[in-house]
Amino acid sequence: MTLDISTAAKPRTARLRADATRNRERIVEAAREAIVEFGPDVPLDEVARRAGVGNATLYRHFTDRTELVRQVALSVMARTAQRAEDALAEEPDALSALQRFAFEAAEERIGALCPMLSTAFDRAEPAVDHEARRMERAITAIMDRAQCSGQIRGDIAVGDLMVALTQLTRPLPGTGCIGFDRFMRRHLQLFLDGLRAPARSTLEGTAATLEDLQGCH
């Protein structure tokens, strides 16, 4: 009886690839959480500890901090776009989809990640441009539908929503604010109520787009 080496090697290779993929995903998620808590200068040792991997494993996937931060940013954009797409597909009306998306996007702590997003990479890079466009399309679709149905005011755009999400999910100075999530959700609901039509005020300036925000570092 002879052993087919090529056949025997395939399951092992597949397992190794699956393990590597899981490790990479754990590292990215741990980095996202650590950056939210400590900022982009969090020690990579702390990221490895949270991910449950050794430092050698972390550096095997990400050669330096910039590469890791870039991947975290891409992951956040992809997850945010997916939340918008799912909300639009699954909710009964556009206003429900908008509110669901806003609260789920807030869980990504966009405000804490914003400084990192603006400096981690080149917006013209293909992977970054792809995720940014996907995110913008998904959020715009929700807002367009809500505006066309007369559920939210017509003098706002995607950038206005993202500014609010950024500000409301940015951690307060210091580390003593217990129950920040409760305050965030409360004030996010106040903001969403202010989007409803008919508008009760006249806004200064023009609606903000994502392009407008790119110059705000």
Side-chain angles (χ1 to χ4, degrees):
M1 179 177 178
T2 60
L3 177 64
D4 187 339
I5 297 177
S6 63
T7 301
K10 287 180 180 178
R12 174 174 172 78
T13 300
R15 285 196 300 272
L16 290 173
R17 288 176 178 170
D19 289 344
T21 298
R22 283 193 294 270
N23 283 339
R24 185 179 179 86
E25 291 172 349
R26 283 200 296 266
I27 292 168
V28 171
E29 179 60 21
R32 186 183 73 88
E33 294 175 354
I35 289 170
V36 167
E37 187 172 347
F38 298 109
D41 294 328
V42 59
L44 295 186
D45 289 353
E46 173 64 16
V47 173
R49 184 190 68 79
R50 290 187 178 217
V53 302
N55 288 358
T57 298
L58 187 151
Y59 283 107
R60 189 158 56 246
H61 287 281
F62 302 100
T63 56
D64 57 29
R65 181 185 302 277
T66 299
E67 185 181 351
L68 176 57
V69 168
R70 173 185 174 279
Q71 190 58 49
V72 170
L74 287 171
S75 174
V76 168
M77 286 195 292
R79 287 159 56 120
T80 301
Q82 188 64 55
R83 289 179 183 274
E85 292 165 355
D86 291 346
L88 190 61
E90 297 169 7
E91 291 301 316
D93 62 79
L95 183 60
S96 297
L98 177 61
Q99 294 198 89
R100 168 177 159 177
F101 164 71
F103 281 106
E104 290 185 350
E107 295 175 7
E108 298 295 340
R109 291 299 191 273
I110 294 174
L113 297 169
C114 187
M116 174 192 75
L117 296 176
S118 65
T119 59
F121 43 63
D122 181 2
R123 174 62 172 79
E125 181 185 346
V128 176
D129 183 63
H130 171 76
E131 293 300 345
R133 289 180 182 276
R134 178 191 171 197
M135 185 174 69
E136 183 172 11
R137 282 195 305 269
I139 303 170
T140 298
I142 293 178
M143 297 190 69
D144 283 351
R145 188 174 298 181
Q147 287 173 327
C148 288
S149 64
Q151 292 176 293
I152 66 172
R153 57 196 301 162
D155 55 353
I156 57 172
V158 174
D160 295 303
L161 174 61
M162 299 311 291
V163 166
L165 285 172
T166 297
Q167 296 301 319
L168 290 172
T169 58
R170 192 186 300 276
L172 297 175
T175 58
C177 185
I178 305 301
F180 177 72
D181 282 358
R182 176 170 61 89
F183 295 114
M184 176 188 70
R185 295 183 67 84
R186 176 181 175 85
H187 289 91
L188 181 54
Q189 186 62 62
L190 284 171
F191 167 76
L192 291 170
D193 287 348
L195 297 185
R196 289 176 179 264
R200 290 171 172 77
S201 62
T202 300
L203 299 177
E204 294 185 6
T206 58
T209 66
L210 288 187
E211 286 79 6
D212 293 332
L213 303 185
Q214 290 172 18
C216 300
H217 300 310

